[in-house]
C-alpha cells in the first residue's frame, strides 16, 4: 500500500513555516505500523497543483493533501481538485449553514470571502472540521483515495486522527513500546543492547534527542506476549539509566513522582535562569508541588536571596560544587519546600577558563537531612543546548532521589568531574 | 530557473526528525530572491533514490540533496549518485587523509566504517565540510547541477551558505526588509497597510507568529532608493505598534535597550513561572542588565519573597492589577534593580472563572517613581501559548517604557480590561 503526502503553500515551501504537520503525520502513521512512501511540498499555483496531484494519484493508494483550504485567493486546493476531476465547484449548503452558525456564535458577521470555504468539487465527500471554518473533503482519482485537510495544525491533527487514520487499512502490528534513557550516547545505548535477543519480525528504532535517547520496539501483534520478555530485558540492561517508559516528558514524570510523595520543590537557578522552573510549570497542576523559584543570576542575588556567603563565592567561585550546595540549602531555608534543586554553570559562549571551560555546570539537591551535589562537563555546541542539558540533568538527579535510585548516572555523554554526598 | 530540494532518510519521512533544514534552505533562497519549485522527502532505499533523483534532474536546473552521507549502511546517497551516473565509486584520497586527521585530532582511532565517507562517484566534485566527517559532492545529470549535503544541521547550513548559494545565479533583488509588530491581527495589519503605495515590482509578505506579525518587503534592486520612502511610510502607519525592524528577537532588543541606558532588571513571575527570565537569559551578555528573578508561584511565595500583603491577595485575588503592582514593587524593593516587571495570570486549562476566565493576565512595570499596570484577556488555545504571549506582552511594556513610547499598545488581538498608571 503506497501512502503519500502533499503539503501546499508558499509559506511552507519558502520555510516561513516549518512543516510540523508533515512530521506529526509521519509519526501517527508509524504508530499504526504504516509509513509514507514520499512527501512533497509545492507552491500555491493552480497548474502545478493539478499536475502534481495527478502524478501522486497515479503512484499512491492514499494521498493526504494539507493546506490551501482558507478563504483567500491563494487557497486553491478545492479548485485544483475540481480541475483534476473535470467537475465544477458547487456550494455545499450544509457547510455554509455551519459557517454562518460559527460566526453567529462569535457575534460576528460572516465575511463574503468565507463562502469560498463551502465550495466543493461536485461529488466530493465533505469531511467535518469541528474546530475551524475550513471543512476537509475526500475524492477518488486514479483509484487513489485523496483527503484534503486544513493547514492549521490543531484542525489538521484532529481531522487526521478522527477521519483519516481510521479509514486506513491497518498493518498487523503491536503498539510501539518506548524507553527513554538520559546521558547515554547512541553508540553507548547500541552497545548495551547488543546482547538483546529479539524475536524474528521485531526490530528496534532509536531517536536521539540529546541528552535523551528514545528506544522504540516495533513488532507484529502476534509477538505481543513474547515482547514482554524483551521489554523486561531492556529494563534490566538499561537499569537506572532508563528514566521513563512510554513518554519522555520530564516535567510530567517529576510532577507525578512529587505529587505521589506529597513533597514540595524549590529551585535556585543561575545559568539556567528560570528555565528549570518554567519547564516544570509548563504542566497544568504543577502548583500541587512547585513552591517557588529563585533566579539568582548575579552574585549579589545569590547572597541576598539564598544567603550564599561572600567568602564561598570568592573562594570557590560562583560555579562550584560548594556554591551549588549553598544555593540548594539556601533555597530550602528560604522557602516552604521539602526538596531544593540548584544549578550554577557556564553556559557560554564567553566566561569559560582553562580550569572551568564553557559547559562546566554544578548541581545540588538538598533536603532537610541530605545534600547531593556534582560538577559535570556538559557537551553542547550552543548556550541554549548547555542550558537545556543542565535542566535535564537536574531533573535526572531529582527523579533518582525520588525513586531512591543511585544518584550518580553512568553518563557516557557527560563527564563527571566531582560528586559529593552529605 | 527551477530549483528543487530532495531530503532523504526514514527519520525525516517518519517524522522522528522535523525537517528544519528544508525550512532554513527555503528562507536562504528567499533572501537571494529565489525559491524552491518543489521539495520532496523519500526513504533510504536505493532504487527509489535513483529514480527520484533522475526525475528531479529532468525537471530542475539545480537540485539540493540532503542526508544519507553518514558511515552506516542506510546512508546511500553516494551509491545512488554512482548508479544514476552509471559510474563506480572511488576512494577520494584527499578526504580519507582529512578523516584520519579529524580522528587523530580527537585522539581516537578512525573506525573502518568511516572509509565509506571518502568513497565518491567517479567524476564528482568534492565539496569541503570543515566541521564534520561527511564531505559533500556535486554532480551534473540531465544538465541539472546536483549538490549532495550532510544531514547534520550545522554542517548542512555551513555548506549551503558557503558552497551552494554563491554558485546560484542571483535574482536581481534588494535585500528583504522586515518589520515586526506585536498584538495586531493579520487582518488588522493588512487593513492599516492598505493605504501604502508600492512601486511596481515591489510586494509585501506576511508571516504570522502570533502574537507577532512579521511584514516583509520584497523588491528588485533597481527600486532600492524608492523603497526608502515605502519603509518610512510603513513606520508612520504602524507607529508604536512596530516594535522592531530587521530582527524579531525580543530578548536581544531588550538587552540592547537596557544596556544602552545602563539599567538593571528584576522579574516577578507567577503563571509564566520563570519563562520571562529564561527567555532574557537566553542571550549571551544578559548578565549585563538582568539582576534577578522571583518565581512566586504560590501565594506564600508572593508574600515571603516580594512582601505582597495577605489582605491584597484575599481581597483582589492573586490574579489582579493590585497584586501585579505589589509584585513589581516588591521585586524592586527586594533587588538591586532599577526596573521590575511582574506577571500574574490564569494560564489554564483549569482555574478560570466567569469573572476571570483562562487567559486573564495582569502585568506591572515598576520603577522607583512610577508604576504602570494592566489587565489583559489573552487569546491562545493552550497553556503554553498563553504563557508565551504573557511574556511577550510584558516585554512589550518594557520596550515601550524604555523608548518613552505610549505604554498601552493598540492591540486588536488582545483585549485590555483595565490599565493604571501612578
Amino acid at each position: 500500500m503506497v501512502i503519500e503526502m502533499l503539503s501546499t503553500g508558499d509559506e511552507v515551501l519558502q520555510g516561513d513555516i516549518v512543516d510540523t504537520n508533515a512530521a506529526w503525520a509521519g509519526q501517527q502513521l508509524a504508530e499504526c505500523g504504516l509509513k509514507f512512501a514520499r512527501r512533497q511540498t509545492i507552491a500555491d499555483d493552480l497548474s502545478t497543483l493539478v499536475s502534481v496531484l495527478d502524478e501522486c494519484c497515479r503512484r499512491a493508494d492514499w494521498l493526504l493533501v494539507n493546506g490551501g483550504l482558507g478563504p483567500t485567493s491563494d487557497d486553491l486546493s478545492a479548485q485544483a481538485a475540481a480541475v483534476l476531476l473535470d467537475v465544477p465547484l458547487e456550494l455545499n449548503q450544509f457547510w455554509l449553514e455551519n459557517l454562518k452558525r460559527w460566526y453567529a456564535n462569535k457575534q460576528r458577521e460572516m465575511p463574503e470571502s468565507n463562502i469560498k470555504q463551502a465550495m466543493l468539487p461536485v461529488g466530493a465527500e465533505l469531511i467535518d472540521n469541528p474546530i475551524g471554518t475550513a471543512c476537509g473533503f475526500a475524492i477518488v482519482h486514479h483509484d487513489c483515495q485523496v483527503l484534503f485537510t486544513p493547514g492549521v495544525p490543531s484542525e489538521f491533527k484532529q481531522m487526521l486522527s478522527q477521519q483519516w487514520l481510521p479509514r486506513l487499512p491497518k498493518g498487523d502490528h503491536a503498539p510501539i513500546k518506548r524507553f527513554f534513557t538520559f546521558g547515554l550516547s547512541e553508540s553507548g545505548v547500541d552497545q548495551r543492547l547488543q546482547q538483546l535477543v529479539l524475536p524474528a519480525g521485531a526490530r528496534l528504532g532509536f531517536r536521539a534527542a540529546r541528552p535523551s535517547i528514545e528506544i522504540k520496539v516495533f513488532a507484529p501483534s502476534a509477538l505481543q506476549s513474547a515482547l514482554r520478555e524483551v521489554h523486561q530485558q531492556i529494563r534490566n540492561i538499561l537499569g537506572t539509566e532508563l528514566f521513563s517508559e512510554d513518554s519522555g516528558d520530564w516535567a510530567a514524570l517529576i510532577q507525578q513522582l512529587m505529587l505521589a510523595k506529597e513533597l514540595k520543590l524549590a529551585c535556585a537557578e543561575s545559568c539556567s535562569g528560570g528555565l528549570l522552573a518554567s519547564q516544570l510549570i509548563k504542566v497544568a497542576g504543577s502548583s500541587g508541588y512547585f513552591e517557588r523559584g529563585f533566579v539568582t543570576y548575579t552574585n549579589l542575588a545569590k547572597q541576598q536571596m539564598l544567603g550564599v556567603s561572600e567568602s564561598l563565592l570568592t573562594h570557590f567561585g560562583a560555579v562550584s560544587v560548594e556554591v551549588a550546595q549553598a544555593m540548594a540549602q539556601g533555597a530550602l531555608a528560604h522557602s516552604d519546600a521539602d526538596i531544593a534543586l540548584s544549578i550554577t554553570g557556564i553556559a557560554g559562549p564567553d566566561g569559560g577558563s582553562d580550569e572551568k571551560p564553557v559547559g562546566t555546570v554544578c548541581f545540588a539537591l538538598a533536603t532537610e537531612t541530605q545534600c547531593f551535589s556534582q560538577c559535570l562537563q556538559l557537551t553542547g555546541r550552543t548556550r541554549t543546548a548547555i542550558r537545556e542539558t543542565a535542566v535535564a540533568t537536574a531533573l535526572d538527579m531529582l527523579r533518582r532521589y525520588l525513586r531512591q535510585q543511585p544518584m550518580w548516572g553512568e553518563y557516557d555523554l557527560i563527564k563527571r568531574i566531582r560528586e559529593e554526598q552529605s
Side-chain angles (χ1 to χ4, degrees), chain A:
Chain A
M1 185 169 63
V2 176
I3 313 175
E4 294 198 8
M5 176 165 180
L6 179 61
S7 306
T8 71
D10 291 344
E11 328 81 68
V12 183
L13 191 59
Q14 294 197 21
D16 282 338
I17 292 174
V18 176
D19 195 353
T20 52
N21 281 357
W24 192 83
Q27 288 169 15
Q28 297 307 304
L29 282 187
E31 292 295 327
C32 302
L34 300 170
K35 57 184 171 188
F36 286 123
R38 193 192 288 223
R39 280 185 354 218
Q40 294 193 73
T41 309
I42 55 170
D44 301 313
D45 169 78
L46 188 64
S47 69
T48 312
L49 264 170
V50 174
S51 73
V52 175
L53 278 170
D54 188 67
E55 184 189 291
C56 293
C57 287
R58 285 172 196 271
R59 275 192 311 255
D61 303 301
W62 295 85
L63 175 64
L64 178 64
V65 184
N66 189 226
L69 301 183
T72 61
S73 57
D74 58 356
D75 288 304
L76 298 169
S77 291
Q79 202 186 332
V83 174
L84 185 75
L85 298 175
D86 197 16
V87 297
L89 290 167
E90 65 178 356
L91 184 68
N92 186 298
Q93 209 61 46
F94 170 81
W95 196 251
L96 182 65
E97 296 308 319
N98 208 317
L99 283 174
K100 285 183 178 162
R101 259 199 314 278
W102 171 276
Y103 278 95
N105 281 341
K106 301 200 170 238
Q107 288 155 345
R108 283 169 55 191
E109 190 79 21
M110 185 182 86
E112 274 294 304
S113 57
N114 283 77
I115 294 177
K116 178 164 174 284
Q117 295 189 296
M119 299 295 293
L120 298 185
V122 168
E125 175 195 359
L126 182 139
I127 306 286
D128 190 24
N129 177 354
I131 56 171
T133 59
C135 67
F137 63 93
I139 64 169
V140 180
H141 183 62
H142 292 314
D143 285 333
C144 177
Q145 309 275 340
V146 189
L147 179 72
F148 291 81
T149 57
V152 177
S154 57
E155 301 173 22
F156 170 73
K157 287 179 182 178
Q158 183 158 337
M159 196 175 287
L160 201 78
S161 305
Q162 294 179 2
Q163 310 263 10
W164 193 59
L165 294 175
R167 294 180 182 212
L168 297 178
K170 290 296 172 303
D172 169 37
H173 70 101
I176 300 172
K177 175 72 183 173
R178 293 179 160 79
F179 298 90
F180 296 84
T181 65
F182 174 79
L184 292 178
S185 63
E186 277 173 275
S187 58
V189 170
D190 197 44
Q191 219 158 42
R192 285 167 193 239
L193 293 178
Q194 291 286 332
Q195 51 180 300
L196 195 67
V197 185
L198 280 176
R203 66 183 178 85
L204 298 183
F206 297 93
R207 190 174 73 97
R210 285 186 162 203
S212 291
I213 292 176
E214 177 182 346
I215 300 146
K216 297 190 273 198
V217 186
F218 302 92
S221 55
L223 291 178
Q224 188 117 40
S225 61
L227 280 180
R228 273 191 216 112
E229 169 61 24
V230 171
H231 298 165
Q232 194 50 49
Q233 274 186 60
I234 292 178
R235 287 184 197 105
N236 295 345
I237 290 170
L238 295 175
T240 63
E241 308 317 310
L242 179 69
F243 77 81
S244 179
E245 296 185 22
D246 302 323
S247 155
D249 184 337
W250 274 110
L253 170 73
I254 293 294
Q255 182 159 320
Q256 180 201 331
L257 293 170
M258 290 293 292
L259 292 178
K261 300 207 168 202
E262 298 185 6
L263 295 172
K264 299 219 176 288
L265 181 72
C267 298
E269 305 182 58
S270 187
C271 68
S272 55
L275 189 63
L276 174 55
S278 177
Q279 294 218 340
L280 294 174
I281 292 175
K282 203 185 278 177
V283 181
S286 49
S287 53
Y289 77 95
F290 188 90
E291 215 269 328
R292 71 186 66 179
F294 304 83
V295 183
T296 53
Y297 203 48
T298 57
N299 279 354
L300 185 68
K302 291 181 186 75
Q303 292 172 49
Q304 292 181 344
M305 294 173 85
L306 302 169
V308 177
S309 75
E310 199 178 339
S311 70
L312 267 189
L313 287 162
T314 314
H315 197 72
F316 297 103
V319 178
S320 63
V321 166
E322 289 75 10
V323 168
Q325 290 167 354
M327 285 171 67
Q329 282 159 342
L332 207 61
H334 293 82
S335 74
D336 208 34
D338 307 292
I339 305 178
L341 271 179
S342 69
I343 303 177
T344 177
I346 300 158
D350 308 315
S353 65
D354 282 353
E355 201 201 342
K356 294 178 184 175
V358 168
T360 305
V361 186
C362 299
F363 303 85
L365 182 158
T367 67
E368 213 187 321
T369 54
Q370 288 183 292
C371 187
F372 302 90
S373 52
Q374 59 181 334
C375 182
L376 301 178
Q377 178 61 45
L378 304 185
T379 52
R381 282 172 196 265
T382 64
R383 180 172 172 88
T384 298
I386 288 172
R387 294 174 72 226
E388 288 172 351
T389 303
V391 166
T393 307
L395 295 176
D396 196 48
M397 287 179 78
L398 182 53
R399 68 98 184 169
R400 288 173 179 276
Y401 176 79
L402 292 170
R403 286 188 175 141
Q404 299 174 291
Q405 290 173 339
M407 284 300 288
W408 314 121
E410 292 174 25
Y411 308 151
D412 62 13
L413 260 183
I414 299 170
K415 195 169 142 202
R416 183 172 294 109
I417 295 160
R418 188 175 149 198
E419 76 237 16
E420 295 254 330
Q421 181 168 349
S422 63

